[in-house]
Amino acid sequence: MSKFEGVIVSDHWLQSQFTQVQLRTLKSKFVSLKNQNGEITAADLPLLLAKLKPFSDMFKEKEIEDILSESGLDMSNGIDFEVFLRGYLNLHSHAAVKLGNSNNSSSFLKATTTTLLHTIDESEKESYVAHINSYLRDDPFMKQFLPIDPATNALFELARDGVLLCKLINVAVPNTIDERAINTKRVLNPWERNENHTLCLNSAKAIGCTVVNIGNQDLVEGRPHLVLGLISQIIKIQLLADLNLRKTPQLVELVEDNNDVEELMGLAPEKVLLKWMNFHLKKAGYKKPVTNFSSDLKDGEAYAYLLNVLAPEHCSPATLDTKDPAERANLVLEHAEKMDCKRYLAPKDIVEGSTNLNLAFVAQIFHQRNGLSTDNKKISFAEMMTDDEQMSRDERCFRLWINSLGIGISSYVNNLFEDVRNGWTLLEVLDKVSVGSVNWKHATKPPIKMPFRKVENCNQVVRIGKQLKFSLVNVAGNDFVQGNKKLILAFLWQLMRFNMLQLLKNLRSRSNGKEITDSDILKWANKKVKTTSQMESFKDKSLSNGIFFLELLSAVEPRVVNWNLVTKGESDEEKKLNATYIISVARKLGCSLFLLPEDIMEVNQKMILMLTASIMYWSLQHDSESSPSSVAATPEASPAPSVNGDEDNSVSAEIFNLSIDDAASDTTVSSTQENNSDAFLQ
């Protein structure tokens, strides 16, 4: 297979704004502008940008020229590709403003939090403040700062120490953060504040937020558009948490027959919410299908029908009889309040078609009264369709890892087993992890109508996997298309492991291309923990109490572990306390992790390997001899002062001098093994 070099941009933030597919397309367009001297001037850009989607229907060439000039771009000067990309993003932000930032209903979790749109929606701010005041008012620490006044910038000021955001994450997905790891002093020093933000961003990724383009400094400065964007994602994850068959098996009523259950399981939560809404609207006699949370809800009629069928005891004929949409919206909200739905939006938000607030309102109605039956036969079938616990945990881990890569809206994964079947997302991930490995001329982007195109995509996935020396014996592209869950998980485990080993290898400036192995990681960890507590392998049952990892974390950064909070790990309860603390401390340090406490308690060898490798990666990143050009894969951790003296300065030497001894870990799964892929799932 011919190889295509990836488009590399020197500004890592700028690179993260685009997928490789987008970069290649834009680079091709840009190069086409070169004149006879091989130069491109800023004056050439308006004509090109005016032809590109989505700008062609929004801006005239003169408008684009004015926008670029206002941004400070000298239209007479020559420009490079990065300047062109910045101009493209600048125009994109103007397009968002022109549209009133009315994203489609499926974008709220997929949309990357960026610095492009610097305006904030005051209605959304007011709604999120009301949500925070409601859910955190009884928190022992936060109640001293609440309620927040939405008319001021108090929300952004309060977010600057990181505590509010960490607490909000725990409201959205309980127990994500061990609150013992949050620095909650009244006045925090810069180090402690940075730790909170690092913990916040890594934990936000671990619940499904997209935080590719937001860093500690953005939160420290309380930048309103970024803080509000992050809060928006956290709250929506909370509101849509139950919109799946595992949490709400009654949703099976939405499908006609059992064959549609898998399709329902593969829908994004907001799509499930729309399906639920249309299910009830059809019963109520409403003729128009609702396809979004914006324009289709502006007149308030759909809301009136929905509430009438869910809570007929509070029905008022005036709601449908009134001709004024604003008045109808007000009556709808009064009806909802009688159902104990908190009023987080105003009538004007419905009339103006606020996507985020309408979605939140519908989700709240669902939580309060979903109107679904409790047909035991159907529910039991839905429960049978869900996966076993270990497979579910692995699916969650790989799904969140893929989404953390920031590979683009089109490849955001809601249901791993369904969303990778067309091969496109796997190709996007491969191109991110191994730049230039994908031949995009032989790939088909969704929506894909012809089944053989999906097989072609997946066949290329398998070919690239074999080039990367993955164990793919008797695996074909059609296995992915058919949704073979064990093979999908096995492939993604190898891909995730490959990514981590490559990151570690890239930090070894003196390695001369020597590959990092699982054995190297094991030896490094044991050398750092200079006690009798040693790890025999990544499935060593003694690891279940968590003490080894706390000692390892303390070895790479002594001040990060509070040993007064550590238990002996003798009972399951004590083990869980330690495991939860380990994950939060590692994230607080700067590790990007997607495992659960149960993975440590049960010594899941795959997740134990990733935990150890992530700590090693952080340690090598912060070693004074690490390459300054190394690119961090996690949000920048707080700058740690040297506290280990000469020992820290020898970390790189330690890893460079490690010998390869595969026998050191009997669980090491070599990427060159020719065992069946099922070995990765045992």
Side-chain angles (χ1 to χ4, degrees):
M1 183 181 72
S2 60
K3 293 185 67 175
F4 283 71
E5 292 298 322
V7 178
I8 306 299
V9 179
S10 62
D11 185 328
H12 302 307
W13 176 88
L14 190 58
Q15 172 116 23
S16 71
Q17 303 296 303
F18 303 92
T19 66
Q20 276 295 317
V21 176
Q22 293 169 329
L23 284 173
R24 287 192 185 91
T25 301
L26 291 173
K27 186 67 177 280
S28 174
K29 300 288 186 184
F30 177 73
V31 171
S32 69
L33 292 177
K34 285 187 177 180
N35 58 28
Q36 293 180 342
N37 298 323
E39 295 179 343
I40 301 171
T41 66
D44 298 318
L45 294 187
L47 178 60
L48 171 62
L49 290 170
K51 295 178 180 178
L52 297 180
K53 292 183 178 181
F55 309 137
S56 57
D57 296 328
M58 297 187 63
F59 298 107
K60 294 180 179 178
E61 188 178 337
K62 183 64 171 67
E63 288 180 278
I64 295 175
E65 182 178 343
D66 292 341
I67 291 171
L68 295 178
S69 297
E70 289 171 6
S71 68
L73 187 62
D74 188 337
M75 302 305 287
S76 62
N77 280 352
I79 60 169
D80 59 17
F81 183 53
E82 290 194 17
V83 173
F84 167 66
L85 291 179
R86 293 185 185 281
Y88 180 93
L89 293 179
N90 184 25
L91 193 59
H92 192 279
S93 67
H94 279 77
V97 173
K98 195 169 185 178
L99 289 172
N101 198 28
S102 56
N103 298 324
N104 64 55
S105 63
S106 65
S107 67
F108 78 92
L109 276 180
K110 304 175 184 179
T112 304
T113 306
T114 72
T115 56
L116 299 181
L117 189 60
H118 292 266
T119 60
I120 64 172
D121 188 309
E122 289 296 332
S123 293
E124 286 191 24
K125 173 186 165 187
E126 186 175 343
S127 174
Y128 300 150
V129 165
H131 184 93
I132 291 168
N133 287 339
S134 174
Y135 281 91
L136 290 176
R137 64 187 175 194
D138 296 325
D139 182 89
F141 180 79
M142 293 304 305
K143 63 183 181 182
Q144 62 184 310
F145 305 107
L146 302 180
I148 301 169
D149 183 356
T152 69
N153 285 326
L155 171 63
F156 309 118
E157 289 298 317
L158 190 54
R160 292 178 66 170
D161 66 7
V163 179
L164 170 66
L165 296 172
C166 286
K167 296 276 189 178
L168 198 58
I169 287 172
N170 269 356
V171 168
V173 184
N175 304 316
T176 297
I177 297 175
D178 187 330
E179 298 206 358
R180 298 174 298 171
I182 305 174
N183 299 317
T184 55
K185 293 191 305 186
R186 187 66 185 262
V187 179
L188 300 178
N189 61 40
W191 168 277
E192 293 165 328
R193 189 173 54 200
N194 240 16
E195 283 186 332
N196 280 351
H197 290 313
T198 303
L199 173 60
C200 165
L201 291 175
N202 280 313
S203 299
K205 283 197 295 184
I207 66 171
C209 294
T210 304
V211 296
V212 174
N213 303 310
I214 182 170
N216 287 2
Q217 192 59 33
D218 298 315
L219 300 181
V220 169
E221 295 175 6
R223 295 182 182 175
H225 59 292
L226 292 176
V227 171
L228 208 62
L230 182 55
I231 288 174
S232 171
Q233 291 189 78
I234 295 170
I235 289 177
K236 286 165 185 171
I237 286 172
Q238 175 191 344
L239 292 174
L240 299 180
D242 293 340
L243 280 151
N244 59 75
L245 284 176
R246 183 175 291 277
K247 293 284 188 69
T248 312
Q250 295 95 326
L251 286 166
V252 75
E253 189 181 353
L254 303 184
V255 298
E256 294 293 332
D257 54 57
N258 294 342
N259 294 330
D260 296 329
V261 174
E262 284 200 39
E263 181 185 346
L264 180 65
M265 292 175 67
L267 290 179
E270 70 274 22
K271 294 293 186 184
V272 176
L273 193 60
L274 280 174
K275 194 174 184 71
W276 167 82
M277 189 176 190
N278 282 310
F279 171 78
H280 285 301
L281 288 175
K282 185 177 180 181
K283 288 198 302 186
Y286 189 67
K287 303 299 183 184
K288 296 179 290 184
V290 175
T291 61
N292 58 63
F293 292 102
S294 180
S295 58
D296 288 355
L297 299 175
K298 284 184 175 182
D299 60 13
E301 285 189 10
Y303 278 135
Y305 277 92
L306 178 66
L307 296 180
N308 284 351
V309 75
L310 291 177
E313 69 274 21
H314 303 307
C315 174
S316 170
T319 308
L320 283 174
D321 292 340
T322 182
K323 302 299 182 185
D324 180 14
E327 178 59 28
R328 183 183 296 120
N330 187 56
L331 291 171
V332 162
L333 293 178
E334 289 179 359
H335 192 161
E337 280 187 293
K338 292 174 183 176
M339 295 169 55
D340 293 329
C341 291
K342 298 186 179 97
R343 182 177 284 211
Y344 286 160
L345 76 170
K348 72 176 182 65
D349 299 320
I350 295 177
V351 175
E352 293 174 1
S354 172
T355 300
N356 286 339
L357 295 184
N358 274 312
L359 185 144
F361 182 46
V362 178
Q364 196 178 46
I365 295 171
F366 173 86
H367 282 290
Q368 202 60 38
R369 192 175 299 195
N370 63 42
L372 299 173
S373 71
T374 53
D375 184 330
N376 291 329
K377 186 177 179 181
K378 275 196 168 185
I379 290 174
S380 62
F381 177 79
E383 290 170 342
M384 286 169 57
M385 291 294 295
T386 56
D387 304 309
D388 64 74
E389 184 180 351
Q390 184 57 58
M391 187 173 284
S392 177
R393 290 215 306 259
D394 286 347
E395 186 273 344
R396 170 195 169 277
C397 172
F398 299 139
R399 168 169 45 84
L400 293 171
W401 171 66
I402 290 173
N403 291 337
S404 75
L405 297 174
I407 55 178
I409 289 176
S410 62
S411 294
Y412 189 93
V413 178
N414 289 289
N415 181 294
L416 183 72
F417 301 127
E418 290 299 316
D419 292 351
V420 303
R421 289 173 61 174
N422 60 29
W424 181 263
T425 296
L426 293 176
L427 289 173
E428 287 270 69
V429 176
L430 282 164
D431 202 41
K432 186 83 171 183
V433 170
S434 180
V435 176
S437 62
V438 178
N439 185 339
W440 292 107
K441 288 185 177 180
H442 296 163
T444 304
K445 185 175 183 178
I448 303 174
K449 295 181 180 180
M450 305 299 291
F452 76 92
R453 295 294 185 191
K454 298 178 183 180
V455 176
E456 285 180 345
N457 281 354
C458 292
N459 281 340
Q460 186 175 178
V461 168
V462 173
R463 286 198 299 272
I464 297 170
K466 289 179 178 178
Q467 288 176 354
L468 299 178
K469 299 182 180 179
F470 290 178
S471 177
L472 293 169
V473 178
N474 298 324
V475 177
N478 198 48
D479 293 317
F480 292 95
V481 177
Q482 295 299 319
N484 186 315
K485 294 180 180 180
K486 293 190 75 174
L487 289 179
I488 289 171
L489 292 178
F491 181 85
L492 284 169
W493 156 239
Q494 295 180 83
L495 189 54
M496 186 179 188
R497 175 178 171 275
F498 171 83
N499 183 48
M500 177 55 74
L501 295 182
Q502 288 298 109
L503 289 171
L504 287 169
K505 178 185 174 183
N506 292 341
L507 290 180
R508 293 173 55 172
S509 57
R510 293 178 290 170
S511 65
N512 296 321
K514 178 175 173 285
E515 298 293 334
I516 288 274
T517 68
D518 298 1
S519 178
D520 289 335
I521 298 168
L522 184 76
K523 286 183 176 181
W524 174 85
N526 281 332
K527 193 165 186 177
K528 293 299 290 184
V529 179
K530 297 179 179 179
T531 67
T532 55
S533 174
Q534 295 283 285
M535 175 168 49
E536 292 184 5
S537 71
F538 294 117
K539 64 176 181 181
D540 185 341
K541 292 300 181 184
S542 69
L543 298 173
S544 66
N545 63 19
I547 301 298
F548 178 85
F549 293 110
L550 289 165
E551 290 179 341
L552 179 59
L553 286 163
S554 187
V556 300
E557 180 45 69
R559 69 176 300 282
V560 79
V561 176
N562 181 349
W563 286 98
N564 294 325
L565 302 176
V566 178
T567 74
K568 293 181 180 179
E570 294 175 344
S571 66
D572 285 346
E573 184 180 353
E574 288 187 347
K575 287 178 180 179
K576 186 159 189 176
L577 283 170
N578 283 354
T580 305
Y581 188 55
I582 288 166
I583 294 170
S584 289
V585 167
R587 286 175 179 156
K588 179 179 180 177
L589 195 64
C591 300
S592 182
L593 300 171
F594 304 99
L595 77 166
L596 294 170
E598 290 78 9
D599 292 315
I600 297 175
M601 296 169 63
E602 298 170 12
V603 194
N604 179 331
Q605 65 186 81
K606 300 190 293 291
M607 299 308 159
I608 294 295
L609 168 60
M610 295 309 299
L611 171 62
T612 311
S614 296
I615 298 172
M616 177 180 174
Y617 180 62
W618 183 89
S619 179
L620 294 183
Q621 267 188 308
H622 288 74
D623 178 67
S624 60
E625 293 185 19
S626 293
S627 170
S629 62
S630 297
V631 181
T634 60
E636 185 179 359
S638 45
S642 178
V643 288
N644 283 347
D646 294 337
E647 183 183 347
D648 256 6
N649 291 332
S650 65
V651 176
S652 294
E654 289 177 18
I655 189 64
F656 301 142
N657 294 328
L658 287 175
S659 61
I660 306 301
D661 180 11
D662 290 336
S665 171
D666 62 349
T667 68
T668 300
V669 185
S670 172
S671 60
T672 59
Q673 280 181 314
E674 294 187 355
N675 297 332
N676 188 282
S677 298
D678 286 356
F680 292 95
L681 301 171
Q682 294 172 350

